[in-house]
Amino acid sequence: MGFWANHVLPRLIEKACRSRTILAERRRWIPRAHGDVLELGVGSGLNLPFYDAARVAKVTGVDISRPLLRRARPRAEQAPVPVDLIEASAEELPFVASSFDSVVVTYSLCSMEDPSRAAAEARRVLRPGGDLMFVEHGRAPDRGTRWWQRLLNPFWKHVSGGCRLDRDMPAMLRAAGFELAELTASYSGTVRWLSFTYEGSARPQPRELAAGDAGAHDHGHDHHHGHDHDHGHAH
Ligand SMILES: C[S@@+](CC[C@H](N)C(=O)[O-])C[C@H]1O[C@@H](n2cnc3c(N)ncnc32)[C@H](O)[C@@H]1O
C-alpha cells in the first residue's frame, strides 16, 4: 500500500466521518444494538463510544483496512463494552451462522466491493429475530442528483477508498433477505450527491419467505422524508 492509502486516506476517512450530522446518527442508532454485536467496516471505531453497556455483551468489529483498525484500537480499549477487532472482509465473514444478535453498519456498504454479498453474510450470521442497524449514504431519489452521482462515481471511488455514490441500500438489503422495520431516507447535508442518507433497522426474513419472494412487503413503518422524490426506484 502506498503513502496515500496507508497514511493520508485513513485520516481523511476519519475526518469525513466525524461531522456533527454523522455524530447525531451514531447517537441515534448505535445504542439500539444489543447482545453479541458485529460491526461491519468498523473503520477507526467511531461508533464504539456509543454502545450501551447495559445491552451489549461484546462488539466484534471487522474491517479490511489495517491502518484504520490500528486507529480503532485506542477507542476499543476505552469503549464501554468489550471489543474485538478483526481484520476480515464483511463479504466473507469468519463466523458460523447465527452467531450475533445485532449487526451494525455505518457508511461502509458504500465502500465494499460486493455489498450484496456482505448483506447476505450479515443475514447468515444474524440469529433469527436479530437486528441490523444501518446508516448509509447512497442513491438519490431525484434524477438530477443521480446524474451527478453517476458522473462523479469513478473519480470519487478513486479518491475515497472505493466509495460508490449511488447504491440503492434498501433494495440491496431486501434482496439479501432483510425486511426493513424502519427506514428514513433524506438529504442530510448540502452536497446532494454525497448526502442522501438511508438509516434504519432491518430483520432477517424467515428463510422460506426470503427465497425468491419478490412480492414480500415490509412491516413496521417506512418513513421517507426525502425531497424531490420522483419514485424512480423501488423502495
Ligand atoms: C467510510 S469508512 C466508515 C467507517 C466506520 N463504519 C464509520 O462509520 O466511521 C468505510 C469502511 O469500510 C471498510 N471496508 C471496505 N470494504 C470492506 C470489506 N469488504 N469488509 C470490511 N470492511 C470494509 C473500509 O476499510 C472503511 O474502514
Side-chain angles (χ1 to χ4, degrees):
M1 272 204 283
F3 184 74
W4 173 263
N6 243 330
H7 297 281
V8 184
L9 198 56
R11 284 186 171 78
L12 288 181
I13 288 175
E14 187 172 318
K15 191 164 163 34
C17 288
R18 297 189 88 162
S19 74
R20 202 175 298 174
T21 308
I22 297 181
L23 190 69
E25 291 160 356
R26 297 189 198 285
R27 279 193 213 288
R28 200 154 47 238
W29 289 103
I30 304 309
R32 299 267 302 266
H34 56 94
D36 291 316
V37 180
L38 172 66
E39 186 173 330
L40 305 177
V42 65
S44 61
L46 293 175
N47 285 330
L48 296 178
F50 300 103
Y51 286 102
D52 180 351
R55 287 167 61 81
V56 168
K58 189 175 92 171
V59 174
T60 303
V62 300
D63 205 289
I64 51 166
S65 163
R66 207 170 282 177
L68 277 162
L69 284 172
R70 206 175 301 131
R71 296 177 82 84
R73 225 166 280 147
R75 290 193 180 98
E77 276 157 21
Q78 285 159 26
V81 296
V83 178
D84 247 3
L85 297 173
I86 297 177
E87 190 180 332
S89 173
E91 293 150 12
E92 209 165 331
L93 291 170
F95 311 113
V96 297
S98 305
S99 12
F100 295 95
D101 302 295
S102 311
V103 173
V104 168
V105 62
T106 61
Y107 294 102
S108 290
L109 289 172
C110 58
S111 303
M112 291 175 192
E113 213 31 64
D114 190 346
S116 299
R117 198 159 156 208
E121 279 289 86
R123 184 169 184 280
R124 181 181 68 80
V125 299
L126 260 179
R127 296 187 178 123
D131 292 298
L132 169 77
M133 264 67 67
F134 61 93
V135 182
E136 292 284 338
H137 72 98
R139 189 184 203 267
D142 53 295
R143 265 191 209 109
T145 307
R146 282 210 299 274
W147 185 85
W148 279 107
Q149 289 183 323
R150 271 195 303 275
L151 183 79
L152 292 169
N153 248 345
F155 159 78
W156 185 249
K157 183 184 171 205
H158 191 67
V159 297
S160 66
C163 168
R164 314 307 199 281
L165 295 166
D166 59 353
R167 286 183 166 158
D168 188 337
M169 300 298 177
M172 210 176 63
L173 292 175
R174 286 183 178 120
F178 281 99
E179 178 178 61
L180 299 197
E182 298 158 275
L183 174 65
T184 304
S186 63
Y187 283 104
S188 64
T190 48
V191 184
R192 289 171 76 84
W193 51 267
L194 187 57
S195 66
F196 194 75
T197 306
Y198 297 97
E199 51 186 288
S201 68
R203 290 220 145 141
Q205 274 192 328
R207 298 212 176 258
E208 60 279 10
L209 269 179
D213 181 11
H217 291 293
D218 292 333
H219 303 301
H221 41 290
D222 272 20
H223 295 300
H224 294 281
H225 300 311
H227 316 301
D228 301 331
H229 276 220
D230 64 0
H231 303 291
H233 65 297
H235 273 262

